[in-house]
Amino acid sequence: MTRTKTIWSLLLLSAMLVLGSCTKDATEQAAGNQPDAKTAAKLIFSSENAVKGQLLVYFGEDAVSSVETSVMQVTRAGGVATRSGISDFDAVLGNIGVRALQRLFPVDVQNEERTRAAGLHRWYVVEFNEEVNLDEAARNMAQVAEVSKVEFNQQLMHVHDGKVTPLAETGAAPQTRAAVGFDDTYLSKQWHYINTGDKAIYSKIKAGADVNCGEAWKLCTGDPRVIVAVVDNCVQWDHPDLAANMWTNTREQNGAEGRDDDSNGYVDDVHGFNFVANTPLTISTSGNAPDHGTHVAGTVAAVNNNGTGVCGVAGGSGNNDGVKIMSCQIFYNKDGGTADIAAKAIKYAADNGAAIIQCSYGYDAGSVTSDSAYASGASAEKQAIDYFIAKQNCAAISGGLAIFAAGNDMTGMSGYPGAYSDYISVTAMSCDYTPAYYTNYGPACNIAAPGGDAYQSILEQKTDGGSEVLSTVNGGKYGYMQGTSMACPHVSGVAALGLSYALQLGKSFTRSEFTALLLTSVNNINQYCTGTKRYITDKGALATLDLSKHKKGMGTGYIDAYQLLMNIRGITCIPVPTGSQYTLNLQPYLGGGNLDLKISGFEISAEDMSRLGISAAPTIFANQVIFKCTKSGSAIVKVKLVAGSGDGSGMSGMPITKEFALIAREIHSQNGGWL
């Protein structure tokens, strides 16, 4: 610092002391001094990963009415507001070259009362000169008494590798079909739904490493009353395999173009909205729009049994009965993907009927490392997610489900927001049950699902993408992708299928009850977290991954759609191993081991015996059932029981019948490990 500047600083400091000022001057702040504790407490996140020239401001409850009045006077006249009506705050705006001051969440007439009750109307976006020091601007705003919080608008990231392997639509496909007989052309290539162990995909593929859709689809295929909001790139709403399952805002569809017909704050939001450009949904006309959102949507609910393309986990039966997809666009080519945009999209999903938000985005793992750190500032994004999960939009569940990808950082923790304890974080597994090489794992990871592993096929000189996840892509086409981004919609789809089945049965659950069912409808993955696997680094080098570090870090297990439906139905699921004779002791599943329940019969259909590879009829010995499964699969069995004993004089116990679901999978160890 020069002598002149030093003298000037001393004179300025003296003047401040004489005036009794308690604020720090701009010269000191620019020099890197930290804000005082009171000011620092108002700051959310940091400028390290934040958008330049933009801050989110949460005004005090008593002050926001002044801001609303000032902003509305200008906007109603068609102008752009640049003043708040709060003199101290407006002085800051004048010093940073303010360009706009506007409410973060637009007024939705039907939901405004709820919005205000949640305090979301107090969030405003300030846009200003990008050359202004962001930290200094935030500190100056936070020093204004009427400001409760100032948030650095964080950049989000997609959790996938960005590559699409187009489906080679040549050659005869295997004739594997779902048990319900779906006729979709490429279902046989979707190992992640029904894995038959086709070694043409990968030599070490394991039958049963899937989400077990085949048997689940016999019970339920979806319900249009369940809406899943895909918070992602734009979904190609007119894709031949998605169009019939797109959510439609009929008031906008039948209204006047260019007008907000339903007064929800968004114009022409027919199948969702582009929150990046604040326009109707936008697929790039240049032909190179990212396929991510369309791919994710296809996994959730591509139309089933329509004679073409692929299936979706909850895509219906071909009779317009699949769950609905709402496209909430937060990425547009290289633009978007910021916390304010995500917050708006998630609130929109809540206000327009979504029961699940499917979110394959997040922050780098490790950038936020605890729930308290994420929740302490109550960011706009977190408030929007909490607003969503508190809203009941489906009769089968008391609130909404927020489902996030855990991240592809190969890091021993989940990325946020998914890591937060109220949201579900999804890890990725491969077609041989092993953890995908890229997946995050460890603390705050809740459940696993197929995400694919490109290098399993590539290292065997197969470049067709078969070991990745096949779904819809833009242009009405199909392609393979990998990532926890691809695992996440499997869980969202299974959750949507579960809600559909609950509606079918006339059942309803609290959000915590349904979440518990979802996270315990799993198979063991820990037994495959041993040894090593090969992959190729970003620099093209061959590397080896130690799988043991993933043990007990992939979540509760890998998701099983059939188990979820059984749990919703109230039928106990019992895991059994394949490949060896098994003695099933039912006592732990019968009243906590009540010895007065005697097994008198065990019924399983010939069809189910064939499916599970049971060649000899099960036998009963010592009040246990003995049989051998040679194939992965699922089946409902009926166990005949006698409740209470007889005395040999003609008095006997009461005969009863109880159903159980058998889930047959390869099991390495005999100590189980399934929930």
Side-chain angles (χ1 to χ4, degrees):
M1 183 180 289
T2 65
R3 175 179 172 81
T4 302
K5 288 182 178 178
T6 302
I7 294 173
W8 169 249
S9 296
L10 291 172
L11 289 173
L12 181 58
L13 178 59
S14 298
M16 291 173 63
L17 291 172
V18 169
L19 293 172
S21 173
C22 62
T23 60
K24 296 185 178 182
D25 68 277
T27 303
E28 289 182 312
Q29 290 174 345
N33 288 353
Q34 295 300 312
D36 60 71
K38 185 176 180 180
T39 300
K42 293 183 179 182
L43 301 178
I44 303 175
F45 300 129
S46 74
S47 61
E48 184 177 350
N49 185 44
V51 180
K52 294 181 179 180
Q54 192 176 96
L55 288 167
L56 310 182
V57 178
Y58 194 59
F59 288 101
E61 189 172 356
D62 295 333
V64 72
S65 58
S66 173
V67 181
E68 288 180 315
T69 300
S70 180
V71 170
M72 288 175 63
Q73 284 178 345
V74 177
T75 55
R76 283 178 176 174
V80 177
T82 58
R83 292 294 184 268
S84 67
I86 299 171
S87 58
D88 288 348
F89 192 76
D90 288 342
V92 177
L93 297 183
N95 289 331
I96 61 175
V98 62
R99 294 171 179 169
L101 173 67
Q102 58 185 333
R103 193 168 121 162
L104 173 58
F105 302 105
V107 174
D108 179 338
V109 172
Q110 293 184 6
N111 292 284
E112 182 63 10
E113 182 177 351
R114 184 171 178 271
T115 299
R116 300 180 82 84
L120 295 182
H121 67 298
R122 293 162 57 187
W123 280 107
Y124 277 74
V125 182
V126 182
E127 297 179 7
F128 50 91
N129 188 340
E130 293 185 4
E131 301 302 318
V132 170
N133 183 292
L134 201 58
D135 289 295
E136 183 179 343
R139 287 194 295 265
N140 288 340
M141 290 181 187
Q143 287 172 349
V144 175
E146 290 84 355
V147 170
S148 296
K149 304 169 188 174
V150 179
E151 179 178 344
F152 293 96
N153 193 14
Q154 299 295 290
Q155 293 278 1
L156 309 174
M157 60 177 290
H158 258 141
V159 283
H160 74 117
D161 65 6
K163 300 174 183 176
V164 179
T165 302
L167 173 67
E169 301 180 17
T170 58
Q175 295 305 304
T176 303
R177 287 289 181 264
V180 290
F182 288 168
D183 61 2
D184 304 81
T185 310
Y186 306 121
L187 173 58
S188 57
K189 296 178 180 292
Q190 293 182 287
W191 60 264
H192 33 104
Y193 297 163
I194 305 170
N195 190 338
T196 61
D198 180 6
K199 294 188 183 301
I201 294 173
Y202 173 55
S203 65
K204 297 180 182 179
I205 193 172
K206 300 286 188 181
D210 52 36
V211 296
N212 203 8
C213 284
E215 293 303 305
W217 284 336
K218 282 185 175 181
L219 302 171
C220 184
T221 58
D223 190 303
R225 290 174 290 178
V226 179
I227 301 170
V228 179
V230 175
V231 185
D232 208 296
N233 291 112
C234 181
V235 175
Q236 187 192 342
W237 60 90
D238 58 353
H239 192 292
D241 229 359
L242 291 172
N245 282 347
M246 291 300 298
W247 168 78
T248 301
N249 184 346
T250 54
R251 290 181 65 182
E252 290 291 342
Q253 184 183 49
N254 301 325
E257 186 174 353
R259 187 178 69 190
D260 182 10
D261 298 286
D262 58 356
S263 300
N264 71 349
Y266 299 97
V267 174
D268 296 340
D269 53 319
V270 178
H271 300 298
F273 199 71
N274 178 353
F275 297 92
V276 183
N278 201 37
T279 65
L281 291 173
T282 310
I283 292 250
S284 174
T285 56
S286 64
N288 61 353
D291 296 279
H292 196 277
T294 301
H295 196 279
V296 163
T299 298
V300 175
V303 181
N304 296 338
N305 203 34
N306 61 348
T308 187
V310 296
C311 286
V313 175
S317 65
N319 296 306
N320 198 31
D321 53 358
V323 304
K324 297 299 182 183
I325 295 294
M326 175 190 295
S327 182
C328 294
Q329 185 177 0
I330 66 168
F331 296 96
Y332 178 45
N333 292 346
K334 295 181 179 180
D335 297 327
T338 53
D340 67 319
I341 292 173
K344 287 194 291 185
I346 290 166
K347 183 181 183 297
Y348 176 92
D351 289 339
N352 289 278
I356 298 169
I357 49 172
Q358 153 57 42
C359 306
S360 290
Y361 77 84
Y363 309 124
D364 287 333
S367 60
V368 181
T369 57
S370 70
D371 280 4
S372 59
Y374 180 70
S376 61
S379 66
E381 177 192 55
K382 184 181 184 299
Q383 285 191 29
I385 300 173
D386 291 347
Y387 177 89
F388 174 83
I389 65 176
K391 179 77 180 295
Q392 181 173 14
N393 284 327
C394 175
I397 187 170
S398 64
L401 297 174
I403 304 178
F404 285 82
N408 298 344
D409 307 302
M410 302 177 67
T411 300
M413 67 179 69
S414 171
Y416 279 84
Y420 191 67
S421 57
D422 282 345
Y423 320 147
I424 296 170
S425 175
V426 183
T427 61
M429 78 172 191
S430 307
C431 65
D432 62 349
Y433 295 105
T434 61
Y437 73 90
Y438 50 78
T439 189
N440 287 351
Y441 56 92
C445 294
N446 303 126
I447 195 167
D453 189 331
Y455 296 127
Q456 288 185 319
S457 291
I458 290 174
L459 291 171
E460 294 186 346
Q461 287 74 54
K462 299 169 184 175
T463 58
D464 61 356
S467 59
E468 300 177 73
V469 171
L470 177 62
S471 187
T472 47
V473 295
N474 293 343
K477 298 180 180 180
Y478 304 90
Y480 295 91
M481 298 180 76
Q482 68 170 9
T484 53
S485 275
M486 283 56 252
C488 188
H490 282 88
V491 176
S492 295
V494 170
L497 192 66
L499 292 178
S500 299
Y501 193 49
L503 290 172
Q504 182 177 312
L505 298 178
K507 291 190 172 186
S508 61
F509 302 89
T510 66
R511 187 175 65 86
S512 60
E513 287 171 341
F514 188 86
T515 300
L517 291 178
L518 182 69
L519 296 183
T520 56
S521 297
V522 296
N523 299 311
N524 181 27
I525 195 172
N526 287 327
Q527 59 186 323
Y528 300 101
C529 296
T530 60
T532 61
K533 70 187 299 182
R534 295 183 301 164
Y535 70 99
I536 300 174
T537 68
D538 292 339
K539 296 181 179 180
L542 187 63
T544 300
L545 181 69
D546 178 7
L547 295 175
S548 65
K549 61 185 180 181
H550 295 78
K551 193 167 188 177
K552 296 185 179 180
M554 295 291 287
T556 55
Y558 66 91
I559 187 71
D560 188 310
Y562 182 75
Q563 282 195 51
L564 178 61
L565 301 194
M566 290 296 98
N567 284 330
I568 288 170
R569 184 167 162 175
I571 295 179
T572 301
C573 296
I574 302 175
V576 298
T578 61
S580 60
Q581 182 171 286
Y582 183 67
T583 300
L584 174 59
N585 179 13
L586 284 169
Q587 295 299 334
Y589 306 101
L590 297 171
N594 190 332
L595 297 180
D596 286 335
L597 287 169
K598 305 297 183 182
I599 301 174
S600 62
F602 186 87
E603 295 182 358
I604 180 171
S605 70
E607 179 186 357
D608 286 340
M609 285 181 63
S610 176
R611 181 179 304 107
L612 298 182
I614 301 175
S615 57
T619 59
I620 300 171
F621 178 76
N623 213 33
Q624 298 180 97
V625 185
I626 302 171
F627 57 93
K628 180 180 179 179
C629 294
T630 60
K631 299 177 183 178
S632 294
S634 309
I636 293 178
V637 298
K638 292 183 179 180
V639 180
K640 293 186 176 181
L641 304 161
V642 177
S645 59
D647 63 0
S649 64
M651 300 178 68
S652 62
M654 176 181 290
I656 58 175
T657 300
K658 185 172 178 62
E659 290 184 323
F660 294 92
L662 301 183
I663 312 292
R665 289 290 187 274
E666 176 187 279
I667 297 180
H668 284 178
S669 59
Q670 292 301 312
N671 61 357
W674 291 355
L675 293 176

